[in-house]
């Protein structure tokens, strides 16, 4: 029965996200009359991308965290299916007067995540979006595994448009924690509850210049906690990216919570160096 419950939640979420994908597949809603947008004909890069990220997050007035993250994108191609694999791994230093055991500059393993998404021309033929999923390995999150499906797409201004908008890239992902690897609250009272979150990314990109973009809700989206206690986390998230050449891009961004009935962070400042090859 426990295994059935573990499998049922993600499957139900995937069905719901698939239904939403069918709604998004109605091209009449996202062409001509709606912001003059059309689906992007090709959402996959043929290049590999390696990124180095740094984050500084604050939680209330007492606790802060510094994170170093490595992110890698690998193009995938199987027969007519095309997609992307993304691998994230990180080291985190959490410190503050309420955490005397942690010292600034002392890093420990953070979350490691594997995400795969793509599409086949035989699936949702009238929709250029992607289906995929993510798994979070039990490193740095107190031994908790998590997994879940995702659905997304990209809309761009129609040809000939002089819009400053570069893209509208909505994405939904549901994450479900299902195994604590024998970790218990009795053994580890700092262990967070099992993840039950819907992540919502209403990503918008704006062209500031031929090489510079402003991107909203690209790195940090809204979170609806569907688990115990419920609640919403809605941030205002903005990132400026600048491409120096075809192989190198850098970015800086910041995020501030505006609705936090489900707490995640108060402030987040971040930046990245991105290499295409």
């Amino acid at each position: 029965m426990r295994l059935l419950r573990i499998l049922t939640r993600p499957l139900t979420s995937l069905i719901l996200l698939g239904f939403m994908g069918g709604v998004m597949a109605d091209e009449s809603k996202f062409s001509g009359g709606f912001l003059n947008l059309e689906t992007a004909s090709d959402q996959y890069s043929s290049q590999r991308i390696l990124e180095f990220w740094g984050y500084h997050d604050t939680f209330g007035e007492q606790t802060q965290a510094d994170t170093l993250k490595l992110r890698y994108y690998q193009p995938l191609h199987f027969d007519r299916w095309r997609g992307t694999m993304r691998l994230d791994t990180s080291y985190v230093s959490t410190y503050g007067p309420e955490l005397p055991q942690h010292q600034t500059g002392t890093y420990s393993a953070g979350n490691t995540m594997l995400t795969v998404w793509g599409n086949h021309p035989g699936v949702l033929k009238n929709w250029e979006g992607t289906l995929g999923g993510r798994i979070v390995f039990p490193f740095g999150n107190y031994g908790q595994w998590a997994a879940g499906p995702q659905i997304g797409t990209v809309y761009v201004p129609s040809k000939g448009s002089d819009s400053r908008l570069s893209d509208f890239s909505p994405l939904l992902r549901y994450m479900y924690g299902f195994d604590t690897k024998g970790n218990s609250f009795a053994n580890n009272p700092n262990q967070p509850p099992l993840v039950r979150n819907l992540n919502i990314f209403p990503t918008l990109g704006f062209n500031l210049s031929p090489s510079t973009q402003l991107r909203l809700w690209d790195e940090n989206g809204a979170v609806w906690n569907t688990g115990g206690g419920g609640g919403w986390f809605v941030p205002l998230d903005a990132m400026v990216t600048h491409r120096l050449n075809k192989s190198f891009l850098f970015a800086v961004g910041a995020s501030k919570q505006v609705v936090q009935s489900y707490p995640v962070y108060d402030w987040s400042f971040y930046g990245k160096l991105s290499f295409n090859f």
Side-chain angles (χ1 to χ4, degrees), residues 35 80 112 135 141 224 234:
L35 298 181
R80 298 175 65 196
T112 295
I135 182 168
N141 58 345
W224 176 30
V234 181

Side-chain angles (χ1 to χ4, degrees), residues 28-260:
S28 64
K29 295 181 179 180
F30 296 98
S31 60
F34 182 79
L35 298 181
N36 201 26
L37 298 179
E38 58 186 22
T39 52
S41 59
D42 191 349
Q43 300 179 31
Y44 310 103
S45 171
S46 61
Q47 291 187 307
R48 297 179 294 274
I49 302 173
L50 181 63
E51 296 182 339
F52 300 90
W53 288 80
Y55 305 80
H56 176 75
D57 300 330
T58 64
F59 311 88
E61 298 180 355
Q62 301 297 318
T63 305
Q64 302 179 66
D66 294 328
T67 303
L68 300 175
K69 179 179 289 188
L70 184 67
R71 181 177 296 171
Y72 174 70
Y73 295 86
Q74 173 66 45
L76 300 176
H77 190 187
F78 301 105
D79 190 24
R80 298 175 65 196
W81 185 90
R82 295 186 64 195
T84 304
M85 179 186 72
R86 169 179 149 183
L87 178 65
D88 295 71
T89 188
S90 61
Y91 278 87
V92 182
S93 173
T94 304
Y95 52 95
E98 295 182 353
L99 300 170
Q101 72 274 23
H102 293 283
Q103 300 295 327
T104 303
T106 301
Y107 286 83
S108 58
N111 285 339
T112 295
M113 305 180 295
L114 178 66
T115 313
V116 177
W117 65 93
N119 202 355
H120 188 282
V123 179
L124 298 175
K125 295 180 181 179
N126 296 322
W127 179 56
E128 298 287 347
T130 63
L131 299 172
R134 167 174 289 180
I135 182 168
V136 180
F137 298 93
F139 310 131
N141 58 345
Y142 304 103
Q144 180 183 150
W145 286 84
Q150 72 175 45
I151 184 171
T153 192
V154 178
Y155 298 101
V156 296
S158 59
K159 294 180 180 179
S161 172
D162 58 357
S163 173
R164 279 284 185 176
L165 181 69
S166 69
D167 65 280
F168 168 48
S169 308
L171 183 143
L172 297 175
R173 180 188 299 119
Y174 186 81
M175 295 304 297
Y176 181 88
F178 60 89
D179 189 357
T180 57
K181 295 293 289 181
N183 216 353
S184 68
F185 286 101
N187 296 331
N188 187 355
N190 294 322
Q191 181 184 182
L194 290 173
V195 171
R196 302 286 189 275
N197 290 339
L198 177 64
N199 299 276
I200 306 169
F201 292 84
T203 306
L204 289 165
F206 297 92
N207 293 316
L208 304 181
S209 76
S211 302
T212 306
Q213 281 194 356
L214 171 66
R215 303 196 61 79
L216 305 178
W217 298 290
D218 192 318
E219 181 63 14
N220 298 286
V223 179
W224 176 30
N225 177 34
T226 63
W232 279 90
F233 173 80
V234 181
L236 178 60
D237 180 73
M239 174 172 58
V240 176
T241 70
H242 181 73
R243 179 165 294 281
L244 291 178
N245 54 54
K246 65 179 182 179
S247 300
F248 177 61
L249 175 147
F250 70 90
V252 292
S255 186
K256 175 70 172 75
Q257 58 86 6
V258 292
V259 175
Q260 190 168 245

